[in-house]
Amino acid sequence: MNDISLLLQYIFFGFVQGFTEPIPISSSGHLVIVQDLFGLKLENLSFEILVNFASLIAVLIIYRHDIMRLTLNGAKFLFKNDTNGKSEFTFILYLIIATIPAGVIGLLYEDVIASTFNSAHMVGITLIITGFFLFLIRNLKGQKKENDLSLKDAIIVGLAQSVALIPGISRSGATIVAAMLLGIKQKTALRFSFLLYIPVSLGTFILSMDQLLDESVRYLWIPYLFAFITAGIATYFSLRWFMNIMARGQLIYFAIYCFAIGLFAFIIL
């Protein structure tokens, strides 16, 4: 493969990963399908780690005001005992608690999960499951706002996120489905889901930096750079688009898409 073809391949992978990361159709599942469909192959997990970090930057930009509010008000409650920041401090605490299940399960079983569900056939099944649950919550509205969340809510959403370690089970889809089934409002479910993405993605990046520094991927730094930029831009616009879809209550379109692409992967690939 010549340098131009390699560069275009990684830009394409970066776009697929970046665009599908925030929407509930499983970015990891789509990478498996794309590789199988076009006969392409990623060298190792370093690529996914890098483009996930690009997606993280996009999420940080979009939710920067929420992050600033939570950080400042939470710090006021923690260090100055300002009761006005208690709800923000509690919200941060719930985010930390919800991060734990995926962190623990990921460290213990990530390799087993990746090797078991790395075929397009298996991804087809898990995408159909994702579609079913998206269809299930399509008309739910919910009443719980940020201040109404409980420890139980955080634990259940965190467990749902751990299930999304399986390719084809969307992380955003699993967490939003769990939150909305618990009666949480769509906007709050979306915010909690993507603020929850931050510590998980950052932790994965830090713990896996050795793979990015591995000798075997040094010759790919230019394709990786272009993929990184592409993924970040794609995630930014995809998440903005998804936020509008959520606001209009049109999750059913993602359910239909997951059914269609899942059946395609299961039957044809």
Side-chain angles (χ1 to χ4, degrees):
M1 181 180 294
N2 61 48
D3 291 343
I4 297 298
S5 296
L6 185 68
L7 180 62
L8 292 175
Q9 174 182 317
Y10 274 87
I11 289 174
F12 175 62
F13 278 137
F15 174 79
V16 171
Q17 171 75 23
F19 186 80
T20 58
E21 179 61 48
I23 57 180
I25 60 173
S26 179
S27 59
S28 58
H30 274 70
L31 278 183
V32 171
I33 291 173
V34 165
Q35 290 180 77
D36 196 291
L37 186 62
F38 294 102
L40 303 173
K41 187 67 178 176
L42 290 170
E43 295 295 327
N44 51 45
L45 286 174
S46 62
F47 174 80
E48 290 188 55
I49 294 164
L50 186 69
V51 291
N52 270 319
F53 187 68
S55 294
L56 171 62
I57 293 173
V59 172
L60 289 171
I61 291 171
I62 290 175
Y63 282 98
R64 64 190 182 280
H65 298 301
D66 287 290
I67 295 168
M68 187 68 68
R69 172 180 58 83
L70 289 167
T71 303
L72 291 178
N73 292 342
K76 286 179 182 178
F77 175 78
L78 183 62
F79 297 111
K80 297 183 179 180
N81 201 28
D82 185 345
T83 56
N84 292 324
K86 183 178 180 180
S87 62
E88 283 83 0
F89 177 79
T90 303
F91 191 83
I92 293 172
L93 188 61
Y94 287 161
L95 286 171
I96 294 171
I97 291 170
T99 302
I100 295 172
V104 172
I105 293 173
L107 286 173
L108 294 176
Y109 302 108
E110 184 176 15
D111 291 340
V112 175
I113 292 170
S115 61
T116 304
F117 296 91
N118 64 348
S119 70
H121 185 80
M122 291 301 299
V123 167
I125 295 172
T126 51
L127 276 170
I128 292 170
I129 294 172
T130 294
F132 170 77
F133 280 100
L134 289 174
F135 183 81
L136 192 66
I137 65 163
R138 68 194 186 283
N139 295 322
L140 294 183
K141 301 298 180 184
Q143 298 298 322
K144 291 183 183 179
K145 297 181 181 179
E146 189 174 302
N147 296 343
D148 302 318
L149 299 182
S150 67
L151 176 60
K152 184 185 77 170
D153 295 333
I155 293 172
I156 292 174
V157 173
L159 289 171
Q161 179 168 248
S162 67
V163 175
L165 292 169
I166 300 172
I169 302 293
S170 164
R171 192 212 64 85
S172 62
T175 51
I176 289 170
V177 165
M180 291 179 64
L181 286 174
L182 290 166
I184 298 172
K185 289 177 69 70
Q186 287 185 351
K187 188 175 182 180
T188 303
L190 185 68
R191 184 187 299 115
F192 193 86
S193 173
F194 283 100
L195 291 175
L196 185 57
Y197 173 76
I198 294 170
V200 171
S201 180
L202 185 60
T204 301
F205 180 76
I206 293 172
L207 292 173
S208 306
M209 283 190 68
D210 59 319
Q211 295 193 45
L212 291 172
L213 300 174
D214 189 88
E215 187 73 31
S216 64
V217 299
R218 288 186 181 178
Y219 75 96
L220 291 170
W221 73 269
I222 292 180
Y224 271 32
L225 176 61
F226 277 86
F228 179 87
I229 294 170
T230 303
I233 294 172
T235 296
Y236 180 87
F237 287 103
S238 179
L239 179 50
R240 287 291 190 193
W241 174 62
F242 181 44
M243 292 168 76
N244 290 331
I245 294 290
M246 282 285 290
R248 295 198 296 268
Q250 296 176 332
L251 280 172
I252 190 171
Y253 295 125
F254 294 110
I256 294 170
Y257 175 83
C258 285
F259 283 136
I261 197 71
L263 286 171
F264 173 78
F266 180 75
I267 296 171
I268 298 178
L269 295 182

